[in-house]
Each structure stands twice: as structure tokens, then as C-alpha cells.
Amino acid sequence: MTDRRAVLIVMDSVGIGGAPDAAAYFNDGLPDTGANTLAHIAQTRPLHLPHLDALGLGAAIRLASGAEAPGLDAVPQGLWGAATEVSRGKDTPSGHWEIAGVPVPWDWHYFPDTHPSFPADLTANIARAAGTDGILGNEHASGTEIIARLGAEHLRTGRPICYTSADSVLQIAAHEEHFGLDRLYRLCEAVAAMVHPMRVGRVIARPFLGAEGSFTRTPNRRDYAIAPPAPTLLDLAHEAGRITHAIGKIGDIFSHRGISHLHKGRSDADLADHLLRLADEAAPGSLIFANFVEFDSLYGHRRDVEGYAEALEWFDGVAGALMARLRPGDLAIFTADHGNDPTWHGTDHTRERVPVLGWGYGARAIGQVGFADIAASVAAHLGLPPAGPGRSFL
Ligand SMILES: O=P(O)(O)O[C@H]1O[C@H](CO)[C@@H](O)[C@H]1O
Ligand SMILES: [Mn+2]
Ligand SMILES: [Mn+2]
């Protein structure tokens, strides 16, 4: 068995524009053509990302989309390229599964942007499972906006707040104390069993606390996702006897399959602590697979450009600290699952290419690759059987 370790890091929503099929994806009814998360942030205010840029981040942006990204102009010293997704979906499971070697073979079910959004029989079944006389919401919404608008009515009526987005999701927001956290989890589990057969990708529990005017979501979000339709990189590594460490949302995204140890936290700062500790401690031959979600959840969906920029600059320090701890023979890859351009209209993800930045193979331009090539490369590095339809770029 190889001693070589691999660290695969998804910077959630850190897209670099240029997706060839962006016109088929929408925000507020308008196509995602031209969306470019990183370039548009950098054009708003120059980014200082010395570690990621030294690997080739600025070069990857120019390769993916031809866009200028002020502040990101280093000569690449790492492995660098841009990856294009083939799965028909611009959400988290589609991106992560394809990165792990399993492009999504089906069309997800999306709920229409109408009011009501959910079919009447589903609405009735959700209320029955909740033990309430109805539901609130039943529309496309942003999660922070809808609890501000409907939170008081939720407390008054006890009805769960159910909403969706341009993603294949059904989200349920409820007050942790008034409705109850365990009750919300049980409801989401029951609703997941109703909608997974329809190919709705996820049911998401969105607990919140507080009183009218100050409702706030808590870190107790939980995702109930459809299982990947084929063995992923995690499954292959685990079956080969490797230790697999999942950091953050990776457990939920892969239905907890192929994971030896799950490391969660209340924030990305907690996840960074796990990552840096594992860089010191993870066994030879192991795979560390991390998702850093706050770019997406706190800044992308909220269209907060400055917050996103600061989160990137914080994460660049984490990336530098990680690279300082890796050992000769290790591979680290930094990539993303989709875009979420905070300068764009709407509040949904944006269809984009993503960066592929690697530490451990010297300076190497890999050009345009596919998401699934990442799985093939990590598998090759770890000496595992080929993972999925991609080709190794190593
Ligand atoms: O607005 P919030 O509730 O954060 O929802 C966002 O989070 C969901 C899952 O990532 C996406 O589908 C998007 O709509
Ligand atoms: Mn995501
Ligand atoms: Mn998201």
C-alpha cells in the first residue's frame, strides 16, 4: 500500500465562470451566462490570495473564462487548471458526486417557481407528517428572508415553513424551541422518504431561534440527501482498506457512505482546525475529503460580495497552513462544486467552471478537465482502482 495521502478540498461555490452550458441555468428567470463568482468579486475589490494564487488560481480564472481577476496575477507554481461539469444540476450533490467520480445520470426534479410550489398531495402529506393543519411558505424563497417574513406566523400556528429554490431541494424551517429540533429532524426524514422517489435531491432541516424581528438560523442544519447511484471515490478508498476522513458536509452529501471518520463543526473555522490537525495526524494512504460551506451559505446566497471576499482571504491562510504541514508524497487538490456569484441577480447558485489547484506535483498546467477527472487523479495518486469515467491528469 502506498504511503501517499490525498487531501481533496471543495471550496463550496467558488466558481470561475466560463461554463459552456450556463445559458441552460437560471436565476430569477434569467440565464447564468456570464456569471463568474471569483472574477466578479475581484473586479469589485482586488483579492489578496497569495497561497491559492501561487498555485495558479488567477491563471485558472483566465483559462476558464478569459476574465480578469484583479490581485490574482501570480505565475503558477502548482498544478492548475479549470474543470467543467457534465451533470445536469448546479447544486452541491451534483458537483460533489461528479468530483468523486459519479456524474448524475438522471434529471433532478425541481419544484416550479409558482405559489403554491408543491403539489397538493405532497403538501397534505407534509402537514400530516408534521401533525399540523397545514404548512407555511410553499414557494421559492431565500432561507433568511422567509423566516423573517413567516417566523411569527410559524410560532402562532405551529405550521412548518416549507420552501424550495432553483435547486432540487425541499427545505423545512422551524423554531428549535417552539417546534422542537428532534421533531423537525423526524419530519424531514419522513418528507425525504416522500420526495426522494420523485428525484428531489435533498430535504434540508433549517432550524432557527429567536423572536420576531431577530430570528436567526442555528448551525443545526441537517441534509437528507439521495444516495449516490454508484460507488464514489470514498467507497473505493474505504473498500480498499484506506482510512477516509470526511470534514463538514461531506457526510451528508454522500449519505454517510465510504466514510471512516466524520469531523463536523459549528463553523468553517472549526473545519479548518480539523483539516490542519488531520494534515499532521492522518495515516499513510488515507483520504481527507473536506467541504468548506460558508462561501456559499453565508455569502453567495446572501449576495454579500465583501463577506465572500473576506472569507476567501481567511481561507487562503488556511490553505497556506495546510500546505506547510503536508508531507512529501502527499497530494492536495483545491476545487469547487458550482458557482454562487454574489454580484449576480437572484439568490441561487450559478453554473460555472471551477478551479483545480494542486499541491504535490510541482508546476503543471493541466488545462481544461472534467469534474470526474479529479476522482480519477486522486484514485491514481492513492494507488486505487480507477474511480469513475474520468482520466487522471497527474
Ligand atoms: O436560502 P437558503 O435557505 O440558504 O437556501 C440555499 O441553500 C440550499 C442548499 O444549499 C440551496 O438550494 C439554496 O436555496
Ligand atoms: Mn455547494
Ligand atoms: Mn448553496
Side-chain angles (χ1 to χ4, degrees):
M1 189 189 88
T2 178
D3 276 359
R4 307 198 295 185
R5 307 180 304 172
V7 185
L8 177 52
I9 298 170
V10 176
M11 304 177 290
D12 204 301
S13 88
V14 180
I16 54 175
D21 55 0
Y25 294 84
F26 299 89
N27 258 280
D28 270 356
L30 297 168
D32 286 350
T33 318
N36 195 326
T37 300
L38 265 180
H40 287 162
I41 295 169
Q43 289 165 13
T44 307
R45 67 91 131 166
L47 285 169
H48 182 65
L49 307 172
H51 300 101
L52 293 170
D53 196 31
L55 291 176
L57 183 57
I61 296 171
R62 287 184 287 279
L63 172 70
S65 56
E68 274 313 306
L72 305 178
D73 41 27
V75 176
Q77 295 163 41
L79 178 151
W80 67 278
T84 307
E85 183 173 12
V86 299
S87 299
R88 291 186 301 272
K90 57 170 175 173
D91 60 357
T92 292
S94 303
H96 281 76
W97 293 359
E98 191 168 325
I99 286 167
V102 182
V104 182
W106 56 63
D107 282 316
W108 297 104
H109 180 77
Y110 300 98
F111 294 109
D113 192 359
T114 52
H115 203 301
S117 186
F118 307 126
D121 57 336
L122 176 59
T123 303
N125 287 335
I126 298 171
R128 190 169 306 124
T132 53
D133 62 357
I135 65 169
L136 300 178
N138 207 339
E139 62 190 300
H140 279 231
S142 157
T144 44
E145 176 276 321
I146 200 169
I147 60 171
R149 179 161 48 87
L150 298 178
E153 192 178 350
H154 164 70
L155 296 190
R156 212 167 45 243
T157 62
R159 296 174 184 161
I161 302 170
C162 304
Y163 64 103
T164 185
S165 71
D167 294 330
S168 181
V169 293
L170 196 161
Q171 310 210 66
I172 307 183
H175 198 281
E176 277 195 13
E177 287 164 353
H178 288 259
F179 191 90
L181 185 58
D182 282 338
R183 182 174 167 216
L184 174 61
Y185 288 158
R186 284 197 308 274
L187 173 61
C188 288
E189 209 176 329
V191 174
M194 299 173 199
V195 301
H196 282 173
M198 301 165 63
R199 299 257 188 262
V200 172
R202 282 180 293 169
V203 175
I204 309 180
R206 293 294 199 166
F208 62 95
L209 281 171
E212 183 157 20
S214 66
F215 292 122
T216 350
R217 301 206 292 199
T218 75
N220 295 322
R221 163 187 176 159
R222 195 174 281 180
D223 293 41
Y224 298 83
I226 293 187
T232 69
L233 175 65
L234 283 165
D235 294 314
L236 295 173
H238 197 244
E239 279 159 22
R242 306 306 179 84
I243 306 289
T244 56
H245 293 280
I247 300 179
K249 279 173 43 155
I250 296 296
D252 284 336
I253 295 166
F254 290 94
S255 285
H256 296 272
R257 270 187 9 204
I259 294 169
S260 318
H261 302 288
L262 176 62
H263 311 270
K264 294 189 72 164
R266 293 176 68 84
S267 66
D268 278 7
D270 289 349
L271 304 185
D273 291 343
H274 288 308
L275 178 66
L276 298 181
R277 183 176 42 77
L278 287 170
D280 288 336
E281 295 175 1
S286 57
L287 169 64
I288 300 167
F289 194 172
N291 168 284
F292 283 82
V293 72
E294 288 179 356
F295 303 113
D296 179 77
S297 60
L298 296 187
Y299 310 114
H301 287 296
R302 313 280 88 88
R303 297 300 190 250
D304 176 351
V305 180
E306 181 57 28
Y308 206 133
E310 286 170 16
L312 286 164
E313 291 179 345
W314 167 79
F315 181 77
D316 188 75
V318 176
L322 171 70
M323 291 185 273
R325 287 165 192 240
L326 292 175
R327 304 175 189 153
D330 287 345
L331 164 70
I333 291 181
F334 300 89
T335 187
D337 53 344
H338 50 73
N340 201 345
D341 184 339
T343 72
W344 209 244
H345 38 260
T347 61
D348 289 315
H349 298 158
T350 43
R351 181 70 159 188
E352 298 181 36
R353 288 192 165 117
V354 300
V356 180
L357 305 174
W359 180 96
Y361 280 77
R364 185 185 295 210
I366 61 169
Q368 301 270 11
V369 299
F371 276 34
D373 297 341
I374 297 170
S377 306
V378 172
H381 176 79
L382 291 173
L384 299 172
R391 282 180 37 187
S392 171
F393 46 67
L394 297 178

